[in-house]
Amino acid sequence: MALLDDVKLALRIAPSQTQFDREIEDLIAAAQGELIRAGVDPVKAVDHADPLVKRAIVTYCKAHFGWENSDYERLDAAFWRLVEHLSLSAEYRAPD
């Protein structure tokens, strides 16, 4: 399954619904950008098969999708904890 479809399911949007695809794609790109900016290897940051990277991207999208998200603070904090762990791990850290 494509990452877009996985994120849509996490957001409780049917894969056949496409009206939010552009917004979700932008959020996916923003999450990947934040991972890279925090020091995660750019190759790893776009590896959607990696479960930790995928979880970080999905969490970011869940936090930032829509205007009135009562779970924003909790999800945003969870995303940044994942980013911190990934950026400190030798397996995920960008090469020097």
Side-chain angles (χ1 to χ4, degrees):
M1 182 177 286
L3 181 60
L4 175 62
D5 290 336
D6 288 340
V7 172
K8 287 167 74 169
L9 286 174
L11 295 171
R12 309 301 188 253
I13 297 171
S16 61
Q17 293 179 324
T18 60
Q19 66 266 35
F20 299 113
D21 283 6
R22 185 69 191 143
E23 179 181 357
I24 296 168
E25 289 168 349
D26 288 345
L27 290 171
I28 291 169
Q32 292 168 332
E34 291 291 5
L35 287 166
I36 293 166
R37 191 176 65 81
V40 174
D41 184 334
V43 173
K44 284 289 215 178
V46 298
D47 181 2
H48 307 147
D50 185 293
L52 293 175
V53 170
K54 183 177 174 181
R55 175 55 40 206
I57 292 169
V58 168
T59 302
Y60 182 93
C61 292
K62 287 184 74 155
H64 291 84
F65 184 77
W67 292 104
E68 295 181 24
N69 185 348
S70 61
D71 291 326
Y72 169 78
E73 288 182 20
R74 180 181 61 83
L75 290 166
D76 190 57
F79 170 74
W80 287 109
R81 281 192 304 274
L82 276 167
V83 169
E84 180 180 11
H85 290 289
L86 291 171
S87 66
L88 292 174
S89 169
E91 182 181 347
Y92 291 91
R93 193 174 28 248
D96 293 332

